[in-house]
Amino acid sequence: MINTKTKYKSVLKPLSLDKERGRGEVVFVLLLTLFFFSQSYSQVENIPADHPVYSFLKEMNLKGALPEYDDVILPLSRQQVINLLAATDSSRNLLSTAEQEYLDRMKEKFYIKKEPAVLSDDFPGSLLGKLADDRQKHFYFYSDSTINFYVDPLVDYKFIYSDWNKANSSLFNYGGNIKGSYNNWLGFSLTGTLGIQFNNRETARLDKRVEQSFSFNDTQNQYFDKTSGYLRLAYGIVNLQLGREKQLWGNGYIDKMYISDNSPDFDFIRFGISYKSLSYRMICAWLVHPTDSVFVDSVQWYVKQKPAKYLVMSRLGFNPGRHFSAGITQAVIYSHRPFEIAYLNPFIFLESAQRSLNDLDNSMLNFDARWMIKDGIELSGCFIFDDIRSSNWFEGKWNAVQNRVAWQSGLMLASPILPDNFTLKIEYMQLRPYVFSHFGMTESALTYTNNGYLIGTDLNPNSTRLSAELNYRPTGRLNFTLVFKHSLHGMNTYDADGNLVTSYGGDIYRPITLQDPGFVKILDGNLEETNLFTFKTDYEFTYGIYMQLFAAYEKHIVNNKSTGRSWLWASVILNFD
């Protein structure tokens, strides 16, 4: 294996080309670099979908420093990220000082070296010195011509304070991950963490890991745990993955409409193929119903039930160049029966297939597109058709409950429209009544949910949201993010005893019935308004050691009564990813 330090000098540095060099030479050297890395350092394991490098790459793409980049579906492999960083490095003369610093830090993280700082060597005597060293480090590392293999710790401490109950909570989370690649075609990962909570339990639930933890909430202990892992095979233009890992699908800048980080991670099989400007991705996921227990008798007590539930989604993407991309996505939710082999077929029309299976399932068709008007400004949009009755469109009946549609539009600005190191994102989202639910089925059987959480956006049907996010990176180590979300929701109405009076399609777990109104306008019902402000600071002390500060204020208005709450947290994180 080739020493990466040598590569930095002989390959990456010459890519900082003078302006006088010709465009043809730039393209030639860039292609040569990508070929060099793909042959010498093919890393098949993934970079986690929530890693901040993706936001940086999107910003570089928008400002003109990265010719092609598609982040509609994440995560990407380490090799893909390496290639994108190399392409950005070839245009580093377009980057600000802070962006160049951040790029160099990402190169330090992802170009695996033969001689990183290995914490297990001379342990524990040299531990503190190696932790303080600002270079690539692993607890254990092995590399030869066939395999890259490394073991890293995961440790974080978070302190949370909530003003509505005047209480605080502390979370200590620890674990580790094992990652690597074999022979340039097999990637693998295993991650496991165990956390312990101190002080107030309700405040602790402001952390998503705690809120979604079965151990913490159902067994009522003070522990929360999480695990993920996968095997990923890649050969040429084809890849196949089996496992559990965070997935992000959608072209939204702030909220992802298809698959977001709102729900717990799920198990899946993922297939992908890419050739030139075309790409195809398919995921078959095993979802979870909320816990349901049935009383049997006084001896056996309660028996837990877990009905089967699945999501199948595929997207055909077209990305002819930097300025335009589009995709068509089809999806099906089905449950209460074994896995359908028809839905495992990657080359099939899902809507037609589900009709041939007697139309038992909840299918959707989605369209998305992005258009970069010029360097520094891009528009995006997507439409989700959960159900459509086109005959109503021409009869003034768009508000019929059969027209269940969600859509999103967005605008992203960066340099040179904005000053260097700034990005601004603005989005509007609308979810029509009853969207993501289904006729006839009760509770979560065919809803677009996983274990009680929406798979895409966290909004219920019959809602709108206007969001804005401002990001500022003053140095390669420091980043500030300010977010505002204004959400409106048309709630169903209930009497004093909690009985439903009128359904306006505002509850995803209540399906459409014959007793419901046939026509419902957006935001009909009892109007609920929520305004959320958040501010987050990320700072990297040295390689793999971070501090995060977060503050939030939420104002809730319903029936002309307003309530407000605020919370904040601070955390220190050890993570070498």
Side-chain angles (χ1 to χ4, degrees), residues 15 174 176 193 255 263 312 363 373 510 514 544:
L15 287 174
Y174 61 94
T193 59
D255 288 311
S263 85
V312 179
S363 61
I373 301 173
R510 189 187 182 281
L514 295 177

Side-chain angles (χ1 to χ4, degrees), residues 534-545:
T534 65
F535 177 75
K536 185 180 179 183
T537 301
D538 295 271
Y539 181 74
E540 185 175 16
F541 290 105
T542 186
Y543 183 104
I545 301 178

Side-chain angles (χ1 to χ4, degrees), residues 4-17 29 33-34 36-37 82-83 85-92 103-104 107-108 111:
T4 313
K5 293 180 180 178
T6 303
K7 282 198 236 178
Y8 281 170
K9 296 179 180 178
S10 62
V11 178
L12 291 180
K13 189 174 181 180
L15 287 174
S16 300
L17 299 174
V29 175
T33 302
L34 299 184
F36 181 87
F37 278 112
I82 287 174
N83 292 343
L85 291 173
T88 304
D89 197 68
S90 71
S91 302
R92 66 182 297 130
L103 172 63
D104 291 338
K107 291 192 309 186
E108 176 71 22
Y111 296 113

Side-chain angles (χ1 to χ4, degrees), residues 35 86 147 193 282 338 351 394 403 413 432 470 487 522 527:
F35 175 80
I147 190 169
T193 59
M282 182 175 187
E351 172 64 18
F394 308 103
N403 290 325
L413 302 174
R432 284 196 49 77
L470 179 65
S487 305
I522 185 71
L527 188 64

Side-chain angles (χ1 to χ4, degrees), residues 226-245:
K226 189 173 182 179
T227 187
S228 62
Y230 60 81
L231 286 174
R232 183 175 183 272
L233 289 78
Y235 184 78
I237 62 174
V238 178
N239 67 83
L240 179 68
Q241 183 174 344
L242 169 65
R244 174 185 299 185
E245 183 186 25

Side-chain angles (χ1 to χ4, degrees), residues 296-312:
V296 178
D297 57 42
S298 58
V299 177
Q300 294 183 343
W301 204 240
Y302 286 94
V303 175
K304 293 181 179 180
Q305 294 185 336
K306 184 184 181 298
K309 182 176 180 179
Y310 307 96
L311 165 69
V312 179

